[in-house]
Amino acid sequence: MKYEELIRKEILAIKPYVPGKPIEEVERELGITNVVKLASNENPLGPAPSAIGAMQAAAAGIHIYPDGGCVRLKEDLSKHLGVSPEQLIIGNGSDEVIKLLAEAFFRPGDEVVVAAPTFGEYAYAARLMGASLVEVKAAEGLEHDLERMAAAITQKTKAVFVCNPNNPTGGMKTRAEWEEFLEQVPENVLIVVDQAYREYVEDPEYPDGLEYLGSGKKLLVLRTFSKIYGLAGLRVGYGVGDPELVAYINRVREPFNVNLMAQIAARAALADEEFLEKSRAMVRAGMDQINRGLEEMGLEYLPSAANFILFSTPYPCRELYPRLLQKGVIIRPADIFGLPKHFRVTVGTEEENARFLQALREVLAEVG
Ligand SMILES: Cc1ncc(COP(=O)(O)O)c(C=O)c1O
């Protein structure tokens, strides 16, 4: 008997996640050094410095299991966010919170509404549980079409995911757009708003998911320490929702899902406002630098509220990608999002951005 006959048939519909290429792999494969990675929307300034000190101090205690309830991190977060600890579910990255929600709520026959293009974990979680994915393409452009997404909700819809700002486009939905959407979603549908890049957004029209928690809708707000806080390697993110919703998600959580270092580092990073401001200033300047560079090359890009930019060239991204790697620059080919001529580039330091722009200029000259 083949494994294919033994496996749950839902799993056959899952495409394995394609990770960004690690720097070491590119250096080893191509025999080059000094590779720049602007592919996974990480913080190029590193981790929040306060987190490093806190982890060093805690290293001698890692023979002890972590606090399975993340009690102190929840206490800090609840003060920081103005919510109660019972409203918080902490995950091994917000990826895990998405999966936990799906495990607790989705089943075959359910429909899950997502935008296209958007972050791939929502589709993965839906497929994992055998729910049907309803992908809603925008009528124009590449941003979430909230009107169409609301219209795609049926009797079978279990959940709808809104990524704001969206990955990979960087587009932001305004307060007015979000509120209009929220009004149209029935009370029996779970609404997940993913705010992974929230701390980068500076537009006063940005709606903070937390403000809508008491609105009578079944809302889960997702946040992460992987992006602006610079803790992607530790894996810690969280969801905020109604205590009843959180308690149900908590039933499927493994006892020690968030490791000890992650909890300690997240608490330290949360208090590091200075680092956040420095990171925002870097992205503000870097965004201008990259956008100007793309314009000079005559390339189109989308305005972004996050720390990355989606741009296109006249060529298939897979044709340019190996050439960029040869020049020591890793960015994200966007064919994985169904966009064969686009790339997503993370805003880096001034020097990294210059390296990326120079490499792209050279590659376009080579193929043009
Ligand atoms: C929109 C969005 N949500 C969630 C995540 C996952 O974050 P975490 O590292 O907390 O799992 C990412 C990471 O790329 C993301 O882009």
Side-chain angles (χ1 to χ4, degrees), residues 40 93-95 119 122 163 167 194 196-197 224 226-227 235-237:
S40 301
S94 50
D95 279 351
F119 184 52
Y122 319 140
C163 190
N167 176 7
D194 188 340
Y197 302 95
T224 181
S226 297
K227 304 302 173 182
R235 313 301 299 121
V236 53

Side-chain angles (χ1 to χ4, degrees), residues 63-97:
H63 58 301
I64 303 294
Y65 279 101
D67 166 12
C70 293
V71 173
R72 300 189 72 186
L73 175 56
K74 281 188 191 168
E75 269 171 20
D76 289 1
L77 272 172
S78 70
K79 281 190 205 121
H80 185 78
L81 303 171
V83 300
S84 74
E86 293 72 31
Q87 287 181 277
L88 291 163
I89 173 93
I90 319 287
N92 184 36
S94 50
D95 279 351
E96 193 199 18
V97 182

Side-chain angles (χ1 to χ4, degrees), residues 275-288:
F275 179 70
L276 294 204
E277 195 35 61
K278 199 171 149 194
S279 305
R280 271 191 286 267
M282 181 209 63
V283 167
R284 221 177 284 135
M287 189 75 77
D288 281 350

Side-chain angles (χ1 to χ4, degrees), residues 300-316:
E300 286 184 13
Y301 62 88
L302 294 181
S304 171
N307 68 332
F308 53 84
I309 301 160
L310 187 77
F311 69 94
S312 61
T313 80
Y315 310 100

Side-chain angles (χ1 to χ4, degrees), residues 224-303:
T224 181
F225 285 94
S226 297
K227 304 302 173 182
I228 202 167
Y229 292 100
L231 304 183
L234 285 171
R235 313 301 299 121
V236 53
Y238 57 95
V240 196
D242 188 75
E244 199 185 340
L245 169 63
V246 165
Y248 280 127
I249 300 173
N250 201 37
R251 290 192 189 203
V252 294
R253 183 181 66 80
E254 288 192 21
F256 303 111
N257 64 324
V258 183
N259 73 73
L260 186 148
M261 284 294 175
Q263 295 189 35
I264 291 207
R267 292 185 63 213
L270 193 62
D272 205 336
E273 258 311 314
E274 195 184 326
F275 179 70
L276 294 204
E277 195 35 61
K278 199 171 149 194
S279 305
R280 271 191 286 267
M282 181 209 63
V283 167
R284 221 177 284 135
M287 189 75 77
D288 281 350
Q289 182 190 1
I290 295 180
N291 288 348
R292 253 185 292 116
L294 294 172
E295 279 163 27
E296 280 164 19
M297 285 179 248
L299 300 178
E300 286 184 13
Y301 62 88
L302 294 181

